[in-house]
Amino acid sequence: MPYSPLLVKPLKKELTSVGFKELLTADEVDAAMAEAATGVTLIAINSITGVAANVARPGVRIALESDGKHPDRLFTVFDEQDLEATAQMRGYFPDIPPSHPSFALFKDGELVYFIPRHRIEGRDAQQVAAALTDAFEEHCQ
C-alpha cells in the first residue's frame, strides 16, 4: 500500500529540485526509456527509507553539483508510492533484484552501471557521490 502523497512530496522534491523528472505511470516510464535510447540517462529509485534520506538523495545531489560530466537525462520513480511506475522501470533491468534506494545508469539504452541499496548502506553521501561521479566520467560525453 502506498504512503500518503503528503508524506512523500518533500522526499520527491529533493530530486526534482535538482533536475530529475518524476515518472508516475508505466506509460511515462516507457516514454522516458524511449528517450534513453540515445545518450546517458540516470534513473533514481527513490525511497522513504533512512538510507535514502541520509545517503542516497544527498549523494546524487552532490554528484550532480560537481564539475565534470553529467548524464543527459535524469528520471526518478518512488518505490513505496508510485508502484506501477516502479514496477515498469524495474522491467528495464530484470536481472537485478528490486532494491531501494538505487541508481541505474543507461547509455544508449543499455544498462551500464547500477548501485543497489547494499552499496549505499554503510557509506556516506560523499562516497555515493564519488561512485556516481566516477560512473559519469566513464560513461558520459
Side-chain angles (χ1 to χ4, degrees), residues 24-25 32 41-42 45-46 61 80 105 138:
L24 302 173
T25 67
T41 302
L42 179 64
I45 305 226
N46 202 351
R61 286 193 323 265
E80 297 99 335
L105 191 67
E138 180 178 347

Short mmCIF file of all heavy atoms in Angstrom, two decimals, residues 24-25 32 41-42 45-46 61 80 105 138:
data_model
loop_
_atom_site.label_atom_id
_atom_site.label_comp_id
_atom_site.label_asym_id
_atom_site.label_seq_id
_atom_site.Cartn_x
_atom_site.Cartn_y
_atom_site.Cartn_z
N LEU A 24 5.39 8.82 -13.02
CA LEU A 24 4.31 8.37 -12.15
C LEU A 24 3.53 7.16 -12.68
O LEU A 24 2.82 6.52 -11.91
CB LEU A 24 3.33 9.53 -11.91
CG LEU A 24 3.93 10.79 -11.30
CD1 LEU A 24 2.91 11.90 -11.25
CD2 LEU A 24 4.49 10.49 -9.91
N THR A 25 3.66 6.88 -13.97
CA THR A 25 2.89 5.79 -14.58
C THR A 25 3.80 4.92 -15.43
O THR A 25 4.90 5.33 -15.81
CB THR A 25 1.76 6.33 -15.47
OG1 THR A 25 2.36 6.97 -16.62
CG2 THR A 25 0.85 7.30 -14.72
N ALA A 32 10.00 7.68 -21.17
CA ALA A 32 11.32 8.11 -20.70
C ALA A 32 12.40 7.15 -21.20
O ALA A 32 13.47 7.60 -21.64
CB ALA A 32 11.33 8.18 -19.17
N THR A 41 21.44 8.34 -19.38
CA THR A 41 20.28 8.59 -18.52
C THR A 41 20.52 7.99 -17.15
O THR A 41 20.88 6.82 -17.04
CB THR A 41 19.01 7.97 -19.14
OG1 THR A 41 18.81 8.52 -20.44
CG2 THR A 41 17.79 8.24 -18.28
N LEU A 42 20.29 8.78 -16.12
CA LEU A 42 20.37 8.30 -14.75
C LEU A 42 18.96 8.12 -14.21
O LEU A 42 18.14 9.03 -14.29
CB LEU A 42 21.14 9.28 -13.86
CG LEU A 42 21.25 8.88 -12.38
CD1 LEU A 42 22.07 7.60 -12.21
CD2 LEU A 42 21.86 10.02 -11.56
N ILE A 45 15.83 5.30 -8.12
CA ILE A 45 14.69 4.66 -7.47
C ILE A 45 14.68 5.22 -6.06
O ILE A 45 15.50 4.86 -5.22
CB ILE A 45 14.82 3.13 -7.51
CG1 ILE A 45 15.01 2.69 -8.93
CG2 ILE A 45 13.62 2.51 -6.79
CD1 ILE A 45 14.25 1.58 -9.47
N ASN A 46 13.77 6.14 -5.84
CA ASN A 46 13.68 6.86 -4.58
C ASN A 46 12.93 6.02 -3.55
O ASN A 46 12.22 5.09 -3.91
CB ASN A 46 12.98 8.21 -4.82
CG ASN A 46 13.28 9.23 -3.76
OD1 ASN A 46 13.89 8.95 -2.73
ND2 ASN A 46 12.84 10.45 -4.01
N ARG A 61 22.69 14.37 -5.28
CA ARG A 61 22.71 15.84 -5.43
C ARG A 61 24.15 16.35 -5.47
O ARG A 61 24.49 17.21 -6.29
CB ARG A 61 21.92 16.51 -4.30
CG ARG A 61 20.42 16.35 -4.46
CD ARG A 61 19.60 17.26 -3.55
NE ARG A 61 20.15 17.46 -2.22
CZ ARG A 61 19.81 16.76 -1.14
NH1 ARG A 61 18.93 15.78 -1.24
NH2 ARG A 61 20.35 17.01 0.02
N GLU A 80 7.86 3.21 -2.86
CA GLU A 80 6.71 2.92 -1.99
C GLU A 80 5.48 3.75 -2.33
O GLU A 80 4.47 3.64 -1.66
CB GLU A 80 7.08 3.15 -0.52
CG GLU A 80 8.17 2.24 -0.02
CD GLU A 80 9.52 2.92 -0.01
OE1 GLU A 80 9.74 3.87 -0.79
OE2 GLU A 80 10.38 2.50 0.78
N LEU A 105 22.28 3.58 -14.41
CA LEU A 105 22.81 4.47 -15.44
C LEU A 105 22.73 3.73 -16.78
O LEU A 105 23.27 2.61 -16.91
CB LEU A 105 24.25 4.86 -15.12
CG LEU A 105 24.86 5.98 -15.97
CD1 LEU A 105 24.17 7.31 -15.69
CD2 LEU A 105 26.36 6.10 -15.71
N GLU A 138 33.13 8.04 -16.66
CA GLU A 138 33.38 6.92 -17.57
C GLU A 138 32.37 6.85 -18.72
O GLU A 138 32.75 6.54 -19.84
CB GLU A 138 33.33 5.60 -16.78
CG GLU A 138 33.57 4.38 -17.64
CD GLU A 138 33.57 3.09 -16.87
OE1 GLU A 138 33.62 3.11 -15.63
OE2 GLU A 138 33.54 2.03 -17.52
#
